[in-house]
Amino acid sequence: MTVASKQTQTAIDRDEHASRRRRLMEQMAPESIAIVSAAPERIRSRDTEYPYRQDSDFLYLTGFEEPHAVLVLVPGREHGETVLFCRERDPDRELWDGFMVGPDSAVANYGVDDAFPITDIDDILPGLIEGRSRVYYSIGRDSAFDSQVMEWVNSIRARVRSGAKPPGEFVALEHTLHDMRLYKSAAELRVMEQAGRISANAHRQAMRRARPGLREYQLEAELLYRFLDEGASAPAYPTIVASGSHGCVLHYTENQGMLADGDLVLIDAGCEYNGYAADITRTFPVNGRFTGEQKAVYEIVLAAQKAAIEKVRPENHWNQPHEAAVEVLSQGLLDLGILTGSLEEVVEQAHYRDFFMHRTGHWLGMDVHDVGDYRIGGAWRVLEPGMVMTIEPGLYIAPGKVGVDERWQGIAVRIEDDVAVTRSGYRNLTPDVPKEIADIEALMADE
């Protein structure tokens, strides 16, 4: 099967995008309008731009990946409720920058009701806003577009004495839209599973390639090659390849260090595939064999991850996996003699935070730290089918840590998988990377 055909089978189709727009409009107040802008292009240096990545909300509702576009939802509009403004076809510009969809193809291929050139938006959009009582819009994400929206509204306000009716209220679009994004459809889960498979293949290859004397960036190169070779568009976030004590820096991304014999290497990496992120972390020995101390710490983190994953099921709340992980990690630190006292004291007084200072996971989807509230009305959110989260406990014992035996210092372990809530429990979307010690050592021995 070719990469192109694999991508086609695991893409979100136009019918699902249309369904999302309908569901959003059903939740909007009567006589309202929603405005969603595409992500702006960003300058990397002088006249060189960063590779373009569409705004996740815009992509979620349209599947449209070009810049300079605006989606407008107008429930009840006689001539069509979904309107897209986008660039017109321009053969001269396409010669330099590539194919452009254009308004005609946007209607045919993306399922919107109407499409206009983006250059006509100042003439058309104020007329769509006029008479609508509420504007659903995400203020503060793009200051330039915020100003443009206010110019349109103010142009209507300036004509009130002539009978124009401006909107009276702005409503945060993300309140409704981000709750929709939290629940993944069957099609979204298939895409995320494919992102997980590609990322898992990359992690396995990095394990096979690792050996003393390589640089961290050489393992990063293996990951990137696998991502792109199997059809992913890019890493979903900056790749972490942290060997030795670098693993104690949670967001280490320099990836310049030398892999040393006897050290562990922590890799936190995932690809983006058809707009959805994977997020996997594995920790393994550079030389393919864990030391006794490394095994001891590793087994604690693995047990904590397993305990946390078992708490991922409907009716449990968001924090229960974290609570389970904290208890296992705390007991492990006591067993190793790194902490003293009772388990109750260590947990209640958060003494474990010297060695586990982050949460056990986060929502995952189109963004690696995906949208969605973690609390509702002050209480932890109850887990429901379709939600996807990471489970990523860790222990980080920094060099020079006061009061800690030197044999433990410099050991950092994190283990992370992507887990979907199902009707009966959970499904691990990233099971294809070994995490049992025997399996890791066997993979690394089989070069």
Side-chain angles (χ1 to χ4, degrees), residues 55 117-118 178 196 243 351 392 404:
D55 174 80
I118 190 69
H178 289 179
S243 61
H351 294 317
E392 51 176 313
V404 176

Side-chain angles (χ1 to χ4, degrees), residues 8 51 74 115 121 138 144 147 172 264 308 319 351 368 373 382 402 410 439 447:
T8 300
V74 197
I121 195 168
S138 296
S147 298
L264 295 175
N319 206 46
H351 294 317
V368 68
D373 293 327
V382 173
V402 176
D439 294 335
E447 296 181 7

Side-chain angles (χ1 to χ4, degrees), residues 353-427:
R353 286 187 61 82
D354 283 343
F355 308 97
F356 177 50
M357 56 290 294
H358 58 80
R359 303 291 301 178
T360 302
H362 51 78
W363 300 130
L364 183 72
M366 301 187 80
D367 296 302
V368 68
H369 293 148
D370 207 32
V371 295
D373 293 327
Y374 292 94
R375 290 179 180 267
I376 300 293
W380 291 112
R381 187 163 200 154
V382 173
L383 301 178
E384 299 179 66
M387 296 176 175
V388 180
M389 66 186 69
T390 64
I391 300 292
E392 51 176 313
L395 286 176
Y396 314 91
I397 310 171
K401 189 70 174 176
V402 176
V404 176
D405 192 304
E406 188 175 347
R407 66 193 179 116
W408 305 114
Q409 293 181 21
I411 295 177
V413 176
R414 181 164 68 248
I415 307 170
E416 177 182 22
D417 283 296
D418 305 340
V419 182
V421 184
T422 66
R423 291 177 181 172
S424 58
Y426 69 86
R427 182 164 86 251

Side-chain angles (χ1 to χ4, degrees), residues 116-350:
F116 300 100
I118 190 69
T119 51
D120 292 344
I121 195 168
D122 288 335
D123 298 324
I124 296 173
L125 189 48
L128 298 177
I129 297 172
E130 185 176 350
R132 297 279 160 171
S133 59
R134 290 180 178 86
V135 177
Y136 286 81
Y137 176 68
S138 296
I139 297 174
R141 293 168 64 174
D142 182 342
S143 59
F145 193 71
D146 289 349
S147 298
Q148 195 170 9
V149 170
M150 290 312 303
E151 286 180 12
W152 294 326
V153 172
N154 287 334
S155 71
I156 301 170
R157 290 172 176 167
R159 295 184 287 106
V160 168
R161 292 182 180 180
S162 302
K165 182 183 176 183
E169 183 179 0
F170 276 80
V171 180
L173 175 66
E174 57 267 29
H175 178 74
T176 300
L177 183 55
H178 289 179
D179 203 64
M180 287 174 54
R181 282 179 52 189
L182 180 59
Y183 297 88
K184 274 62 179 182
S185 68
E188 288 178 287
L189 290 173
R190 286 193 294 272
V191 173
M192 294 185 72
E193 282 184 305
Q194 180 64 5
R197 281 191 289 269
I198 294 170
S199 301
N201 289 341
H203 274 265
R204 289 200 304 271
Q205 182 59 26
M207 286 182 180
R208 293 189 185 100
R209 177 77 196 282
R211 64 177 184 271
L214 290 184
R215 293 283 182 178
E216 292 164 343
Y217 59 73
Q218 290 177 280
L219 296 190
E220 182 181 13
E222 293 286 345
L223 294 157
L224 181 58
Y225 171 78
R226 285 292 170 189
F227 291 167
L228 300 184
D229 186 56
E230 296 193 30
S233 57
Y237 53 94
T239 296
I240 295 170
V241 181
S243 61
S245 61
H246 291 162
C248 296
V249 180
L250 299 185
H251 289 163
Y252 173 85
T253 56
E254 293 177 14
N255 301 348
Q256 296 293 314
M258 182 83 75
L259 305 187
D261 194 10
D263 278 350
L264 295 175
V265 58
L266 184 159
I267 295 182
D268 188 339
C271 74
E272 180 174 296
Y273 179 81
N274 279 336
Y276 287 80
D279 189 359
I280 301 174
T281 304
R282 290 293 187 269
T283 309
F284 55 91
V286 169
N287 64 13
R289 303 292 295 181
F290 287 87
T291 68
E293 288 78 12
Q294 291 167 353
K295 281 184 179 180
V297 176
Y298 187 94
E299 291 287 12
I300 292 168
V301 176
L302 181 59
Q305 199 215 25
K306 290 177 178 178
I309 289 175
E310 287 300 319
K311 294 296 183 180
V312 178
R313 59 176 181 263
E315 304 306 323
N316 278 0
H317 61 67
W318 162 259
N319 206 46
Q320 282 178 261
H322 179 68
E323 292 168 351
V326 163
E327 184 166 329
V328 173
L329 295 172
S330 297
Q331 184 62 59
L333 290 167
L334 288 167
D335 292 343
L336 296 181
I338 293 174
L339 290 178
T340 59
S342 69
L343 177 61
E344 184 178 1
E345 289 172 344
V346 170
V347 172
E348 288 188 357
Q349 298 178 29

Side-chain angles (χ1 to χ4, degrees), residues 38-59:
E41 295 173 297
R42 303 289 187 187
I43 297 297
R44 182 181 183 276
S45 64
R46 200 179 179 199
D47 59 352
T48 302
E49 296 167 345
Y50 283 104
Y52 185 72
R53 204 288 189 174
Q54 186 58 274
D55 174 80
S56 293
D57 287 344
F58 192 90
L59 190 63

